[in-house]
Amino acid sequence: WHRDLAANGAATVILGLGSAGRLEFGTSGDFNLSLPPPRDHLVARSDSVATVRSITLRPGSLLALTGPARWHFVHRVLPSGNGGERASLVYGIW
């Protein structure tokens, strides 16, 4: 689980390759959307995160993350359940 770094740009674009994967979003600690985005690149222990949304990243999918999805929620990509290999190309967009 992590938050994106501000140094990576205003948006992150992820191109999924290979097998499907699952992107999960969660809340950790003192989650509060009314506060400014945290400045840290939090890496949270799984037992301290409450998963609030999960989406499947299919092969060839293109996903853009902006705003609270990057700064307030922690997120992670899990491997597919079929044992296939997957890779992601991740770009920071200014």
Side-chain angles (χ1 to χ4, degrees), residues 52-76:
V52 295
R53 179 68 51 106
S54 178
I55 61 172
T56 299
L57 298 174
R58 304 211 181 276
S61 62
L62 184 65
L63 174 72
L65 294 178
T66 63
R70 293 188 64 210
W71 314 120
H72 287 88
F73 292 91
V74 291
H75 51 274
R76 65 181 178 176

Side-chain angles (χ1 to χ4, degrees), residues 7-22:
N8 291 349
T12 294
V13 177
I14 303 168
L15 174 62
L17 303 170
S19 295
R22 192 171 75 242

Side-chain angles (χ1 to χ4, degrees), residues 12-13 18 23 28-29 33 39 42 45 51 61 63-64 74 78 90:
T12 294
V13 177
L23 176 64
S28 178
L33 284 173
R39 296 180 94 86
L42 177 70
R45 294 188 344 254
T51 302
S61 62
L63 174 72
V74 291
L78 299 172
V90 180

